[in-house]
Amino acid sequence: MANEKFGPVRVGLLGIGTVGGGTFEVLRRNQDEIRRRAGRSILITKVADLNVARAQEIVGPGVQVVADAREVVNDPDIDVVIELIGGYGIAREMVLAAIENGKHVVTANKALLAVHGSEIFLAASRKGVMVAFEAAVAGGIPIIKALREGLTANRIEWIAGIINGTTNFILSEMRDKGLPFDQVLKEAQRLGYAEADPTFDIEGIDAAHKITILSAIAFGVPVQFDRAHVEGITALQGEDIRYAEQLGYRIKLLGITRLRADAAGRPFGIELRVHPTLIPARRLIASVEGAMNAVWVKGDAVGHTMYYGKGAGAEPTASAVVADLVDVSRMLTSDPENRVPHLAFQAEAMSDLPILPVERIETAYYLRLRVSDEPGVLADITRILADERISIDAVLQREPAEGENQTDIILLTHRTIEQQVDAAIARIEALPTVLSKAIRIRLEELV
Amino acid sequence: MANEKFGPVRVGLLGIGTVGGGTFEVLRRNQDEIRRRAGRSILITKVADLNVARAQEIVGPGVQVVADAREVVNDPDIDVVIELIGGYGIAREMVLAAIENGKHVVTANKALLAVHGSEIFLAASRKGVMVAFEAAVAGGIPIIKALREGLTANRIEWIAGIINGTTNFILSEMRDKGLPFDQVLKEAQRLGYAEADPTFDIEGIDAAHKITILSAIAFGVPVQFDRAHVEGITALQGEDIRYAEQLGYRIKLLGITRLRADAAGRPFGIELRVHPTLIPARRLIASVEGAMNAVWVKGDAVGHTMYYGKGAGAEPTASAVVADLVDVSRMLTSDPENRVPHLAFQAEAMSDLPILPVERIETAYYLRLRVSDEPGVLADITRILADERISIDAVLQREPAEGENQTDIILLTHRTIEQQVDAAIARIEALPTVLSKAIRIRLEELV
């Protein structure tokens, strides 16, 4: 790795639970990739966790582990503090202390920001440090960056998000299986999709924290969680899900924020609310199922855009934490070499991996063959495919029309290398029972 | 507007066609919003276009218009040049000249970058200037930023995108209406979805330019359009669309790039290809219809994420151009006050718009009422709604079961203010024929 001009960024981690462990693992596993992009190493050098022994086991002997978060936020060698403690108490205290000590902060704590954001952002601005919080909303989906930077040209009109995976999972199950709320909640708890105390999720509080943050970014107002209207899904009944369905709608728990303007277009207020919502079944967001998250944003220039992905989990959330670390790292110097590189990787850290010729690609295939309608045709074809080590996923043989003596055979293959398919097709087309060139279309499961 | 500490950024615009006009309009219309976010004004001060008279009409008397792009790229007062000329010839020459003169460049020219990107990025790196190109791929969807910054923690495994609206519109129409390619193409040309010479779109070249750029960003390889495998949709037949449907698939023109690794996980090459592709109908991306774009990205930490929106058009593309202008503007100074603000707007430019109480929100409603099965019930209810100026969108009245003398009435209202609904519900619940509390769920069309 060429560019070590800037030296490593030293990071202190407060709390190494699910997301903290994921962050440590992603930084470790993708350290080369991240250094090639950021132009410098990003190292977690100190961890605070009440369970010192377990934390030390996760991070190994090379990283210092302490029980007291104060030792991290007061350590002059630490550049950036990641706060993953959660809640409003000690987390708030530690974030403010880190800021006071001139450290940048990365946090996934939506509750803290939705309630104490104004105080925290003011303190950070005064100290000239950054507080980054991509991980606070919708896990690894870079929705904060999209809103704050990508859509910066727009007057945002509204945002509507499925931003709580637990409730979306419960609603998907209630609809698919026709089961009542209580029963599905128990199942969700058993599967780990809902916590033992699910109040924050099912009462809409978690979603309200998140939409409060998005609202502040969209409209440039202070975070005001106490002004949000919050309804959860506990009162929702199966028959309403069914009636909605009959009318062409699905019910989702949405976080919604909207700029309201008078007839002359002058804004007079902002809606900020979380509640079960009927949405047209034909909208793409209505098909967001299970524990996935999706955020719709309507901007006056861009129109409708949507951002979709996993809203929780160790590594999706870590993806956002680390992206924030890289952003903060770039701010630590104003050297042009430390900007976002044109092609994401630093110019001297580009890869020389070859673009493969099409014969070497690997994908699945749809093959359509025009054949004589006589016995043994399919057997000949499948034998050739087997010879070329191509395995078949599905076969569809059209019934020949009355009086016709030709028909179509359609085959779906499993993933294979294109040159094997080329070879098989050449042999198949040479069969006397195959009457025309094979139609070949590639197939991707996108998994 | 408080913070004018930095003075305006002066922008030169090369080419004021559809996207150029949109960019000028968005910058003008949202100038306050953009200044509140960027902390400084962004002004187009000079425009080059061969049609000087028409250009002057668009920009008005306050902006200088010239016929020769050289006058813009050589103007020492210009900080940033927007290149919207298109093509490889004069566009390449002007971009290189602007870089040579130390100007930052914003471009929407995917063809130029896919073919001459390496030369351009090298020149820019040497001069320490930025070349920003969010608008080159998927219009206003901030996919370049998502890949380059938002997903920076990930080893990207693959990207698959519907990144050409013309072909997606044609395929949607072929499938929905069962019409052949030639006929749908003519219709698309008539509607303005396809150009008079549609070659770049229907032969997959435009999509290949875009996936070439995304591939370079995802995997840190040079842009290599000449190595891409490119197939368009001209040979696609209606029966294959129908057979695919029967097998549970849809056919989309995808741009695909994938990192290939051996059994031990060591990467050995990159796939880069555009072709019609069967994808499972149940995947969200299979439902992306008409002229919309969507990009799926699979990262090792974040999992699957998707980005969706309009891929073309004056203002969606302008949204990306202006976002790049703001990004570049932030780089013109390393002052912490010019960073991306915590809540997107500069601290001193926050809004004091109130969060509205829930009684003042405006939305549509689903109402379910348990009523006696007797004549006149619905009339009583609808009269109350009319009294409160609530208009009804749909009514569903369940047939009472055999021997039952109660039933459910379900009403969907048009958009209205919540307090009117509160008032109506209070009156409806007081009717002797209404047997229980009303169930009320809010409804959003999300348009």
Side-chain angles (χ1 to χ4, degrees), chain A residues 145 149 220 240 243 258 273 283 351 366 368 408 444-445, chain B residues 145 149 220 240 243 258 273 283 351 366 368 408 444-445:
Chain A
K145 186 173 280 287
E149 304 175 41
D240 293 309
Y243 286 134
R258 184 190 295 267
R273 48 193 167 102
R283 296 253 178 280
S351 161
Y366 162 103
R368 173 160 64 89
D408 282 339
E444 294 279 355
E445 294 284 340
Chain B
K145 186 173 280 285
E149 304 175 41
D240 294 309
Y243 286 135
R258 185 190 294 268
R273 48 192 168 102
R283 296 253 177 281
S351 162
Y366 161 104
R368 174 160 63 89
D408 282 339
E444 294 278 354
E445 294 284 339

PDB file of all heavy atoms in Angstrom, chain A residues 145 149 220 240 243 258 273 283 351 366 368 408 444-445, chain B residues 145 149 220 240 243 258 273 283 351 366 368 408 444-445:
ATOM      1  N   LYS A 145     -26.646  10.220   4.000  1.00  0.00           N
ATOM      2  CA  LYS A 145     -25.781  10.819   2.973  1.00  0.00           C
ATOM      3  C   LYS A 145     -26.589  11.216   1.743  1.00  0.00           C
ATOM      4  O   LYS A 145     -26.371  12.285   1.163  1.00  0.00           O
ATOM      5  CB  LYS A 145     -24.660   9.856   2.594  1.00  0.00           C
ATOM      6  CG  LYS A 145     -23.642  10.450   1.647  1.00  0.00           C
ATOM      7  CD  LYS A 145     -22.461   9.532   1.412  1.00  0.00           C
ATOM      8  CE  LYS A 145     -21.442   9.582   2.520  1.00  0.00           C
ATOM      9  NZ  LYS A 145     -20.652  10.840   2.502  1.00  0.00           N
ATOM     10  N   GLU A 149     -26.470  15.105   1.151  1.00  0.00           N
ATOM     11  CA  GLU A 149     -25.552  15.480   0.078  1.00  0.00           C
ATOM     12  C   GLU A 149     -26.129  15.176  -1.299  1.00  0.00           C
ATOM     13  O   GLU A 149     -26.165  16.031  -2.168  1.00  0.00           O
ATOM     14  CB  GLU A 149     -24.213  14.754   0.276  1.00  0.00           C
ATOM     15  CG  GLU A 149     -23.600  15.013   1.650  1.00  0.00           C
ATOM     16  CD  GLU A 149     -22.341  14.185   1.868  1.00  0.00           C
ATOM     17  OE1 GLU A 149     -21.522  14.049   0.943  1.00  0.00           O
ATOM     18  OE2 GLU A 149     -22.166  13.644   2.992  1.00  0.00           O
ATOM     19  N   GLY A 220     -34.336  21.150   7.614  1.00  0.00           N
ATOM     20  CA  GLY A 220     -33.498  22.114   8.311  1.00  0.00           C
ATOM     21  C   GLY A 220     -34.130  22.651   9.577  1.00  0.00           C
ATOM     22  O   GLY A 220     -33.976  23.823   9.913  1.00  0.00           O
ATOM     23  N   ASP A 240     -58.740  -5.544   9.122  1.00  0.00           N
ATOM     24  CA  ASP A 240     -58.405  -4.313   8.398  1.00  0.00           C
ATOM     25  C   ASP A 240     -57.330  -4.575   7.343  1.00  0.00           C
ATOM     26  O   ASP A 240     -57.349  -3.978   6.269  1.00  0.00           O
ATOM     27  CB  ASP A 240     -57.978  -3.222   9.382  1.00  0.00           C
ATOM     28  CG  ASP A 240     -59.142  -2.798  10.260  1.00  0.00           C
ATOM     29  OD1 ASP A 240     -60.209  -2.482   9.706  1.00  0.00           O
ATOM     30  OD2 ASP A 240     -59.002  -2.827  11.486  1.00  0.00           O
ATOM     31  N   TYR A 243     -59.442  -6.149   4.542  1.00  0.00           N
ATOM     32  CA  TYR A 243     -60.252  -5.162   3.815  1.00  0.00           C
ATOM     33  C   TYR A 243     -59.359  -4.259   2.955  1.00  0.00           C
ATOM     34  O   TYR A 243     -59.690  -3.939   1.814  1.00  0.00           O
ATOM     35  CB  TYR A 243     -61.065  -4.289   4.788  1.00  0.00           C
ATOM     36  CG  TYR A 243     -62.256  -4.977   5.421  1.00  0.00           C
ATOM     37  CD1 TYR A 243     -62.496  -4.859   6.788  1.00  0.00           C
ATOM     38  CD2 TYR A 243     -63.156  -5.717   4.658  1.00  0.00           C
ATOM     39  CE1 TYR A 243     -63.594  -5.467   7.377  1.00  0.00           C
ATOM     40  CE2 TYR A 243     -64.254  -6.331   5.242  1.00  0.00           C
ATOM     41  CZ  TYR A 243     -64.468  -6.204   6.608  1.00  0.00           C
ATOM     42  OH  TYR A 243     -65.560  -6.799   7.183  1.00  0.00           O
ATOM     43  N   ARG A 258     -43.506  15.648   6.173  1.00  0.00           N
ATOM     44  CA  ARG A 258     -43.959  16.337   4.978  1.00  0.00           C
ATOM     45  C   ARG A 258     -43.953  17.836   5.223  1.00  0.00           C
ATOM     46  O   ARG A 258     -44.347  18.294   6.294  1.00  0.00           O
ATOM     47  CB  ARG A 258     -45.399  15.881   4.669  1.00  0.00           C
ATOM     48  CG  ARG A 258     -45.979  16.443   3.386  1.00  0.00           C
ATOM     49  CD  ARG A 258     -47.479  16.143   3.281  1.00  0.00           C
ATOM     50  NE  ARG A 258     -47.803  14.738   3.169  1.00  0.00           N
ATOM     51  CZ  ARG A 258     -47.970  14.089   2.012  1.00  0.00           C
ATOM     52  NH1 ARG A 258     -47.839  14.725   0.876  1.00  0.00           N
ATOM     53  NH2 ARG A 258     -48.283  12.809   2.004  1.00  0.00           N
ATOM     54  N   ARG A 273     -44.812  12.155  11.789  1.00  0.00           N
ATOM     55  CA  ARG A 273     -45.737  11.173  12.349  1.00  0.00           C
ATOM     56  C   ARG A 273     -45.353   9.749  11.986  1.00  0.00           C
ATOM     57  O   ARG A 273     -44.754   9.493  10.952  1.00  0.00           O
ATOM     58  CB  ARG A 273     -47.155  11.462  11.853  1.00  0.00           C
ATOM     59  CG  ARG A 273     -47.248  11.686  10.332  1.00  0.00           C
ATOM     60  CD  ARG A 273     -48.620  12.274   9.973  1.00  0.00           C
ATOM     61  NE  ARG A 273     -48.679  12.791   8.627  1.00  0.00           N
ATOM     62  CZ  ARG A 273     -49.248  12.153   7.571  1.00  0.00           C
ATOM     63  NH1 ARG A 273     -49.817  10.977   7.738  1.00  0.00           N
ATOM     64  NH2 ARG A 273     -49.264  12.704   6.378  1.00  0.00           N
ATOM     65  N   ARG A 283     -47.486   0.298  -5.485  1.00  0.00           N
ATOM     66  CA  ARG A 283     -46.242   1.042  -5.254  1.00  0.00           C
ATOM     67  C   ARG A 283     -45.128   0.079  -4.857  1.00  0.00           C
ATOM     68  O   ARG A 283     -45.356  -0.856  -4.088  1.00  0.00           O
ATOM     69  CB  ARG A 283     -46.406   2.056  -4.122  1.00  0.00           C
ATOM     70  CG  ARG A 283     -47.381   3.146  -4.390  1.00  0.00           C
ATOM     71  CD  ARG A 283     -46.734   4.473  -4.663  1.00  0.00           C
ATOM     72  NE  ARG A 283     -47.790   5.429  -4.963  1.00  0.00           N
ATOM     73  CZ  ARG A 283     -48.390   5.536  -6.144  1.00  0.00           C
ATOM     74  NH1 ARG A 283     -48.007   4.773  -7.157  1.00  0.00           N
ATOM     75  NH2 ARG A 283     -49.363   6.402  -6.318  1.00  0.00           N
ATOM     76  N   SER A 351      -6.680  -1.360  -8.813  1.00  0.00           N
ATOM     77  CA  SER A 351      -6.490  -2.785  -9.049  1.00  0.00           C
ATOM     78  C   SER A 351      -6.176  -3.041 -10.518  1.00  0.00           C
ATOM     79  O   SER A 351      -6.623  -2.303 -11.387  1.00  0.00           O
ATOM     80  CB  SER A 351      -7.764  -3.518  -8.645  1.00  0.00           C
ATOM     81  OG  SER A 351      -7.815  -4.789  -9.220  1.00  0.00           O
ATOM     82  N   TYR A 366     -31.333 -19.230 -20.014  1.00  0.00           N
ATOM     83  CA  TYR A 366     -32.615 -19.636 -20.592  1.00  0.00           C
ATOM     84  C   TYR A 366     -32.298 -20.010 -22.018  1.00  0.00           C
ATOM     85  O   TYR A 366     -31.678 -19.230 -22.753  1.00  0.00           O
ATOM     86  CB  TYR A 366     -33.545 -18.422 -20.522  1.00  0.00           C
ATOM     87  CG  TYR A 366     -34.777 -18.421 -21.424  1.00  0.00           C
ATOM     88  CD1 TYR A 366     -36.040 -18.695 -20.906  1.00  0.00           C
ATOM     89  CD2 TYR A 366     -34.674 -18.065 -22.775  1.00  0.00           C
ATOM     90  CE1 TYR A 366     -37.170 -18.644 -21.714  1.00  0.00           C
ATOM     91  CE2 TYR A 366     -35.800 -18.018 -23.583  1.00  0.00           C
ATOM     92  CZ  TYR A 366     -37.046 -18.309 -23.055  1.00  0.00           C
ATOM     93  OH  TYR A 366     -38.167 -18.254 -23.842  1.00  0.00           O
ATOM     94  N   ARG A 368     -34.062 -21.502 -25.615  1.00  0.00           N
ATOM     95  CA  ARG A 368     -35.280 -21.920 -26.327  1.00  0.00           C
ATOM     96  C   ARG A 368     -34.886 -22.576 -27.632  1.00  0.00           C
ATOM     97  O   ARG A 368     -34.109 -22.011 -28.408  1.00  0.00           O
ATOM     98  CB  ARG A 368     -36.197 -20.730 -26.598  1.00  0.00           C
ATOM     99  CG  ARG A 368     -37.396 -21.121 -27.496  1.00  0.00           C
ATOM    100  CD  ARG A 368     -38.549 -20.145 -27.383  1.00  0.00           C
ATOM    101  NE  ARG A 368     -38.220 -18.810 -27.862  1.00  0.00           N
ATOM    102  CZ  ARG A 368     -38.362 -18.401 -29.140  1.00  0.00           C
ATOM    103  NH1 ARG A 368     -38.801 -19.222 -30.082  1.00  0.00           N
ATOM    104  NH2 ARG A 368     -38.063 -17.156 -29.456  1.00  0.00           N
ATOM    105  N   ASP A 408     -41.632 -25.995 -29.171  1.00  0.00           N
ATOM    106  CA  ASP A 408     -40.536 -25.308 -28.483  1.00  0.00           C
ATOM    107  C   ASP A 408     -40.172 -26.059 -27.212  1.00  0.00           C
ATOM    108  O   ASP A 408     -41.074 -26.491 -26.467  1.00  0.00           O
ATOM    109  CB  ASP A 408     -40.973 -23.887 -28.055  1.00  0.00           C
ATOM    110  CG  ASP A 408     -40.962 -22.907 -29.224  1.00  0.00           C
ATOM    111  OD1 ASP A 408     -40.274 -23.181 -30.225  1.00  0.00           O
ATOM    112  OD2 ASP A 408     -41.649 -21.877 -29.121  1.00  0.00           O
ATOM    113  N   GLU A 444     -30.214 -14.234 -14.133  1.00  0.00           N
ATOM    114  CA  GLU A 444     -29.538 -13.933 -12.867  1.00  0.00           C
ATOM    115  C   GLU A 444     -30.552 -13.988 -11.731  1.00  0.00           C
ATOM    116  O   GLU A 444     -31.588 -13.328 -11.792  1.00  0.00           O
ATOM    117  CB  GLU A 444     -28.917 -12.522 -12.910  1.00  0.00           C
ATOM    118  CG  GLU A 444     -27.779 -12.359 -13.904  1.00  0.00           C
ATOM    119  CD  GLU A 444     -26.442 -12.876 -13.379  1.00  0.00           C
ATOM    120  OE1 GLU A 444     -26.383 -13.276 -12.192  1.00  0.00           O
ATOM    121  OE2 GLU A 444     -25.472 -12.865 -14.159  1.00  0.00           O
ATOM    122  N   GLU A 445     -30.239 -14.767 -10.713  1.00  0.00           N
ATOM    123  CA  GLU A 445     -31.125 -14.823  -9.533  1.00  0.00           C
ATOM    124  C   GLU A 445     -30.924 -13.599  -8.630  1.00  0.00           C
ATOM    125  O   GLU A 445     -31.736 -13.309  -7.766  1.00  0.00           O
ATOM    126  CB  GLU A 445     -30.878 -16.099  -8.730  1.00  0.00           C
ATOM    127  CG  GLU A 445     -31.264 -17.389  -9.466  1.00  0.00           C
ATOM    128  CD  GLU A 445     -32.767 -17.634  -9.497  1.00  0.00           C
ATOM    129  OE1 GLU A 445     -33.492 -17.055  -8.666  1.00  0.00           O
ATOM    130  OE2 GLU A 445     -33.212 -18.407 -10.376  1.00  0.00           O
TER     131      GLU A 445
ATOM    132  N   LYS B 145     -22.376   8.466  -5.350  1.00  0.00           N
ATOM    133  CA  LYS B 145     -22.052   8.799  -3.954  1.00  0.00           C
ATOM    134  C   LYS B 145     -22.266   7.602  -3.038  1.00  0.00           C
ATOM    135  O   LYS B 145     -21.462   7.345  -2.142  1.00  0.00           O
ATOM    136  CB  LYS B 145     -22.896   9.993  -3.497  1.00  0.00           C
ATOM    137  CG  LYS B 145     -22.528  10.493  -2.111  1.00  0.00           C
ATOM    138  CD  LYS B 145     -23.253  11.778  -1.746  1.00  0.00           C
ATOM    139  CE  LYS B 145     -22.624  12.991  -2.360  1.00  0.00           C
ATOM    140  NZ  LYS B 145     -21.363  13.381  -1.681  1.00  0.00           N
ATOM    141  N   GLU B 149     -18.895   6.465  -1.376  1.00  0.00           N
ATOM    142  CA  GLU B 149     -18.773   6.895   0.014  1.00  0.00           C
ATOM    143  C   GLU B 149     -19.651   6.056   0.946  1.00  0.00           C
ATOM    144  O   GLU B 149     -19.185   5.531   1.946  1.00  0.00           O
ATOM    145  CB  GLU B 149     -19.153   8.381   0.123  1.00  0.00           C
ATOM    146  CG  GLU B 149     -18.318   9.267  -0.793  1.00  0.00           C
ATOM    147  CD  GLU B 149     -18.785  10.724  -0.781  1.00  0.00           C
ATOM    148  OE1 GLU B 149     -19.121  11.242   0.299  1.00  0.00           O
ATOM    149  OE2 GLU B 149     -18.836  11.342  -1.872  1.00  0.00           O
ATOM    150  N   GLY B 220     -12.314  -0.606  -8.229  1.00  0.00           N
ATOM    151  CA  GLY B 220     -11.030   0.090  -8.283  1.00  0.00           C
ATOM    152  C   GLY B 220     -10.198  -0.289  -9.482  1.00  0.00           C
ATOM    153  O   GLY B 220      -8.981  -0.373  -9.392  1.00  0.00           O
ATOM    154  N   ASP B 240     -40.347 -15.140 -25.939  1.00  0.00           N
ATOM    155  CA  ASP B 240     -39.422 -15.378 -24.821  1.00  0.00           C
ATOM    156  C   ASP B 240     -39.866 -14.615 -23.572  1.00  0.00           C
ATOM    157  O   ASP B 240     -39.712 -15.105 -22.449  1.00  0.00           O
ATOM    158  CB  ASP B 240     -37.996 -15.015 -25.232  1.00  0.00           C
ATOM    159  CG  ASP B 240     -37.479 -15.954 -26.315  1.00  0.00           C
ATOM    160  OD1 ASP B 240     -37.572 -17.179 -26.120  1.00  0.00           O
ATOM    161  OD2 ASP B 240     -37.038 -15.466 -27.363  1.00  0.00           O
ATOM    162  N   TYR B 243     -42.665 -16.912 -22.287  1.00  0.00           N
ATOM    163  CA  TYR B 243     -42.163 -18.139 -21.651  1.00  0.00           C
ATOM    164  C   TYR B 243     -41.502 -17.811 -20.304  1.00  0.00           C
ATOM    165  O   TYR B 243     -41.666 -18.536 -19.325  1.00  0.00           O
ATOM    166  CB  TYR B 243     -41.148 -18.850 -22.553  1.00  0.00           C
ATOM    167  CG  TYR B 243     -41.745 -19.565 -23.749  1.00  0.00           C
ATOM    168  CD1 TYR B 243     -41.173 -19.440 -25.007  1.00  0.00           C
ATOM    169  CD2 TYR B 243     -42.864 -20.393 -23.614  1.00  0.00           C
ATOM    170  CE1 TYR B 243     -41.693 -20.113 -26.109  1.00  0.00           C
ATOM    171  CE2 TYR B 243     -43.400 -21.055 -24.707  1.00  0.00           C
ATOM    172  CZ  TYR B 243     -42.809 -20.912 -25.953  1.00  0.00           C
ATOM    173  OH  TYR B 243     -43.322 -21.570 -27.034  1.00  0.00           O
ATOM    174  N   ARG B 258     -19.425  -7.903 -11.806  1.00  0.00           N
ATOM    175  CA  ARG B 258     -19.300  -8.851 -10.711  1.00  0.00           C
ATOM    176  C   ARG B 258     -17.823  -9.177 -10.494  1.00  0.00           C
ATOM    177  O   ARG B 258     -17.081  -9.356 -11.456  1.00  0.00           O
ATOM    178  CB  ARG B 258     -20.062 -10.131 -11.072  1.00  0.00           C
ATOM    179  CG  ARG B 258     -20.120 -11.180  -9.981  1.00  0.00           C
ATOM    180  CD  ARG B 258     -20.673 -12.507 -10.505  1.00  0.00           C
ATOM    181  NE  ARG B 258     -22.049 -12.466 -10.914  1.00  0.00           N
ATOM    182  CZ  ARG B 258     -23.097 -12.757 -10.124  1.00  0.00           C
ATOM    183  NH1 ARG B 258     -22.889 -13.108  -8.872  1.00  0.00           N
ATOM    184  NH2 ARG B 258     -24.326 -12.696 -10.587  1.00  0.00           N
ATOM    185  N   ARG B 273     -20.826  -6.535 -18.255  1.00  0.00           N
ATOM    186  CA  ARG B 273     -21.686  -6.962 -19.368  1.00  0.00           C
ATOM    187  C   ARG B 273     -23.055  -6.308 -19.307  1.00  0.00           C
ATOM    188  O   ARG B 273     -23.560  -5.980 -18.242  1.00  0.00           O
ATOM    189  CB  ARG B 273     -21.830  -8.478 -19.350  1.00  0.00           C
ATOM    190  CG  ARG B 273     -22.172  -9.060 -17.972  1.00  0.00           C
ATOM    191  CD  ARG B 273     -21.996 -10.589 -17.987  1.00  0.00           C
ATOM    192  NE  ARG B 273     -22.025 -11.167 -16.656  1.00  0.00           N
ATOM    193  CZ  ARG B 273     -23.081 -11.803 -16.122  1.00  0.00           C
ATOM    194  NH1 ARG B 273     -24.198 -11.936 -16.796  1.00  0.00           N
ATOM    195  NH2 ARG B 273     -23.011 -12.311 -14.905  1.00  0.00           N
ATOM    196  N   ARG B 283     -38.378 -10.594  -7.233  1.00  0.00           N
ATOM    197  CA  ARG B 283     -37.408  -9.598  -6.777  1.00  0.00           C
ATOM    198  C   ARG B 283     -37.965  -8.203  -6.998  1.00  0.00           C
ATOM    199  O   ARG B 283     -38.582  -7.927  -8.030  1.00  0.00           O
ATOM    200  CB  ARG B 283     -36.096  -9.712  -7.555  1.00  0.00           C
ATOM    201  CG  ARG B 283     -35.361 -10.986  -7.361  1.00  0.00           C
ATOM    202  CD  ARG B 283     -34.119 -10.839  -6.525  1.00  0.00           C
ATOM    203  NE  ARG B 283     -33.530 -12.150  -6.345  1.00  0.00           N
ATOM    204  CZ  ARG B 283     -33.962 -13.051  -5.468  1.00  0.00           C
ATOM    205  NH1 ARG B 283     -34.957 -12.766  -4.655  1.00  0.00           N
ATOM    206  NH2 ARG B 283     -33.394 -14.232  -5.390  1.00  0.00           N
ATOM    207  N   SER B 351     -34.302  26.380   9.947  1.00  0.00           N
ATOM    208  CA  SER B 351     -35.660  26.880   9.815  1.00  0.00           C
ATOM    209  C   SER B 351     -36.375  26.816  11.157  1.00  0.00           C
ATOM    210  O   SER B 351     -36.087  25.955  11.981  1.00  0.00           O
ATOM    211  CB  SER B 351     -36.406  26.028   8.786  1.00  0.00           C
ATOM    212  OG  SER B 351     -37.786  26.194   8.912  1.00  0.00           O
ATOM    213  N   TYR B 366     -58.851   5.541   5.959  1.00  0.00           N
ATOM    214  CA  TYR B 366     -59.639   4.308   5.892  1.00  0.00           C
ATOM    215  C   TYR B 366     -60.452   4.301   7.167  1.00  0.00           C
ATOM    216  O   TYR B 366     -59.898   4.450   8.269  1.00  0.00           O
ATOM    217  CB  TYR B 366     -58.663   3.137   5.835  1.00  0.00           C
ATOM    218  CG  TYR B 366     -59.195   1.765   6.193  1.00  0.00           C
ATOM    219  CD1 TYR B 366     -59.470   0.825   5.187  1.00  0.00           C
ATOM    220  CD2 TYR B 366     -59.354   1.369   7.520  1.00  0.00           C
ATOM    221  CE1 TYR B 366     -59.909  -0.458   5.513  1.00  0.00           C
ATOM    222  CE2 TYR B 366     -59.800   0.088   7.844  1.00  0.00           C
ATOM    223  CZ  TYR B 366     -60.074  -0.814   6.836  1.00  0.00           C
ATOM    224  OH  TYR B 366     -60.505  -2.072   7.144  1.00  0.00           O
ATOM    225  N   ARG B 368     -63.413   2.084   9.302  1.00  0.00           N
ATOM    226  CA  ARG B 368     -64.251   0.876   9.370  1.00  0.00           C
ATOM    227  C   ARG B 368     -65.272   1.061  10.485  1.00  0.00           C
ATOM    228  O   ARG B 368     -64.903   1.402  11.612  1.00  0.00           O
ATOM    229  CB  ARG B 368     -63.415  -0.371   9.626  1.00  0.00           C
ATOM    230  CG  ARG B 368     -64.298  -1.617   9.855  1.00  0.00           C
ATOM    231  CD  ARG B 368     -63.558  -2.911   9.637  1.00  0.00           C
ATOM    232  NE  ARG B 368     -62.462  -3.111  10.558  1.00  0.00           N
ATOM    233  CZ  ARG B 368     -62.583  -3.722  11.758  1.00  0.00           C
ATOM    234  NH1 ARG B 368     -63.751  -4.160  12.192  1.00  0.00           N
ATOM    235  NH2 ARG B 368     -61.508  -3.881  12.510  1.00  0.00           N
ATOM    236  N   ASP B 408     -70.095  -4.628   8.452  1.00  0.00           N
ATOM    237  CA  ASP B 408     -69.029  -3.621   8.423  1.00  0.00           C
ATOM    238  C   ASP B 408     -69.201  -2.715   7.213  1.00  0.00           C
ATOM    239  O   ASP B 408     -69.480  -3.204   6.107  1.00  0.00           O
ATOM    240  CB  ASP B 408     -67.647  -4.302   8.292  1.00  0.00           C
ATOM    241  CG  ASP B 408     -67.164  -4.893   9.606  1.00  0.00           C
ATOM    242  OD1 ASP B 408     -67.651  -4.464  10.665  1.00  0.00           O
ATOM    243  OD2 ASP B 408     -66.299  -5.785   9.560  1.00  0.00           O
ATOM    244  N   GLU B 444     -51.957   6.847   2.556  1.00  0.00           N
ATOM    245  CA  GLU B 444     -51.113   7.748   1.764  1.00  0.00           C
ATOM    246  C   GLU B 444     -50.922   7.155   0.373  1.00  0.00           C
ATOM    247  O   GLU B 444     -50.504   6.002   0.240  1.00  0.00           O
ATOM    248  CB  GLU B 444     -49.730   7.915   2.429  1.00  0.00           C
ATOM    249  CG  GLU B 444     -49.760   8.631   3.769  1.00  0.00           C
ATOM    250  CD  GLU B 444     -49.812  10.149   3.633  1.00  0.00           C
ATOM    251  OE1 GLU B 444     -49.717  10.655   2.498  1.00  0.00           O
ATOM    252  OE2 GLU B 444     -49.947  10.808   4.680  1.00  0.00           O
ATOM    253  N   GLU B 445     -51.217   7.948  -0.642  1.00  0.00           N
ATOM    254  CA  GLU B 445     -50.987   7.478  -2.014  1.00  0.00           C
ATOM    255  C   GLU B 445     -49.507   7.577  -2.397  1.00  0.00           C
ATOM    256  O   GLU B 445     -49.072   6.982  -3.364  1.00  0.00           O
ATOM    257  CB  GLU B 445     -51.832   8.296  -3.011  1.00  0.00           C
ATOM    258  CG  GLU B 445     -53.343   8.098  -2.872  1.00  0.00           C
ATOM    259  CD  GLU B 445     -53.837   6.774  -3.447  1.00  0.00           C
ATOM    260  OE1 GLU B 445     -53.135   6.181  -4.278  1.00  0.00           O
ATOM    261  OE2 GLU B 445     -54.933   6.340  -3.048  1.00  0.00           O
TER     262      GLU B 445
END
